[in-house]
Amino acid sequence: MLPDALATLQQHLSQALTQVPDETRRIFHGRGRCWAGLEHVTADWLQGVVLVSLFREPAASELDALVEMLSVLTRGQAWKASGAHTLLLQHRYLPDSHMQLLLGEPIEEWLISENGLRYKLDLGIKQNNGLFLDMRYGRRWVQQQATGKRVLNLFAYTCGFSVAAIAGGAEHVVNLDMARAALSRGRDNHRLNEHDLSRVSFLGHELFKSWGKVKKTGPYDLVITDPPSFQKGSFALSRDYQKILRRLPELLTENGTVLACINDPDTGPDFLVQGMATEAPELVFQERLENPPEFPDISPDSGLKALVFTRSQP
């Protein structure tokens, strides 16, 4: 991280802290490759907590310079005016994604809000904190679409889509994820928003072994599939996504909708559009949801892809 890049980061963070949003937002997204030398750096405003993440190991001298810059930042007027009280530096390139506390008291759980909804984050104990901020518009879209619908949320993680769907008036949401701890946090998120848990189901299963269970609770008006790019032993994007696409029609109602997502920067939207045309041609591409402006990217095909498909009428 050269001095010019570090100065650019400091400028962006200082500016962001002078006008912090009321809710959680990304305040610097270097991974979109719009700022040379900062491609491995992100920063998030977590409503009092600033989380800076490194996705590549810096040289020792670069790390020292970054920590010093962040220390200077916390002594500035912008930091004080923002109301921030905690600064964390996450080393995402390490196997345990070590969370380094630079300022404040240790925090393991933290409550944040997005679009008026509450979520509980894990800080310092896991690689991912519990909410992917680039999917903000996706959750908003689900909330707008959910009224009266039965929803299936595949690869549900901590059930952000489910929280949005119930808030939007969904009749019932089925969440499936093999990580039972993530689903437990999903229950916490629903409780935070005082949702009726009788309208929410949680299936702690591996998808490809559970089609029968998933189908039994259908059909669904809306199916959301947002898999990881790679999950050791269970999912690889290029190998397994097609298996999901070809099963979607049997899970949907006659007028059903699919929100299919990819977060791999090396995979463009055509992967889904063409894949759906091959595996489930009755599902027709309608639109790609816009990504939030705080996630600029040098290439539109590299950012998050959230695509809407609907069943064509005969």
Side-chain angles (χ1 to χ4, degrees), residues 27-39:
I27 55 175
F28 182 78
H29 185 64
R31 300 193 80 199
R33 298 169 294 169
C34 295
W35 295 279
L38 296 170
E39 296 86 354

Side-chain angles (χ1 to χ4, degrees), residues 83-260:
H85 50 74
T86 302
L87 177 61
L88 299 171
L89 179 62
Q90 186 179 25
H91 300 264
R92 290 280 299 242
Y93 54 87
L94 294 175
D96 64 350
S97 293
H98 172 64
M99 192 79 79
Q100 183 178 356
L101 179 65
L102 298 183
L103 181 72
E105 298 297 322
I107 298 174
E108 289 192 355
E109 295 182 345
W110 188 245
L111 299 183
I112 57 93
S113 60
E114 178 197 84
N115 196 30
L117 299 172
R118 303 278 279 165
Y119 299 92
K120 185 182 289 188
L121 303 185
D122 294 307
L123 299 178
I125 55 177
K126 298 176 182 178
Q127 183 183 72
N128 297 312
N129 61 38
L131 195 72
F132 294 109
L133 301 186
D134 57 349
M135 192 57 84
R136 178 164 68 91
Y137 282 2
R139 287 184 286 270
R140 183 183 68 178
W141 181 88
V142 166
Q143 184 171 351
Q144 294 169 342
Q145 300 293 319
T147 304
K149 293 183 177 178
R150 291 186 59 80
V151 180
L152 173 62
N153 184 20
L154 300 176
F155 305 94
Y157 187 41
T158 57
C159 306
F161 281 121
S162 181
V163 169
I166 292 296
E171 177 185 318
H172 195 92
V173 181
V174 175
N175 295 286
L176 184 140
D177 199 290
M178 64 186 297
R180 294 174 183 265
L183 292 179
S184 179
R185 177 47 49 86
R187 288 188 183 90
D188 293 341
N189 286 333
H190 276 292
R191 292 189 183 107
L192 275 174
N193 293 282
E194 301 181 349
H195 289 164
D196 178 3
L197 285 177
S198 69
R199 294 163 56 197
V200 188
S201 298
F202 304 90
L203 302 179
H205 304 297
E206 198 271 314
L207 174 59
F208 297 115
K209 300 177 181 177
S210 306
W211 286 114
K213 293 184 177 69
V214 171
K215 190 174 179 181
K216 184 177 180 181
T217 52
Y220 307 94
D221 303 292
L222 172 60
V223 175
I224 303 159
T225 174
D226 183 20
S229 298
F230 179 78
Q231 197 169 53
K232 187 176 181 180
S234 65
F235 188 86
L237 185 72
S238 59
R239 181 191 69 213
D240 294 321
Y241 214 141
Q242 292 88 344
K243 301 175 187 177
I244 298 173
L245 300 182
R246 72 176 63 119
R247 300 297 293 266
L248 290 175
E250 66 190 74
L251 301 175
L252 286 167
T253 59
E254 289 185 3
N255 298 307
T257 300
V258 172
L259 178 63

Side-chain angles (χ1 to χ4, degrees), residues 267-296:
T267 305
D270 285 348
F271 174 86
L272 276 178
V273 175
Q274 295 172 3
M276 194 75 82
T278 300
E279 303 293 344
E282 59 267 58
L283 296 178
V284 179
F285 173 63
Q286 299 297 325
E287 63 172 325
R288 176 182 174 182
L289 301 186
E290 186 180 8
N291 287 331
E294 62 268 25
F295 286 85

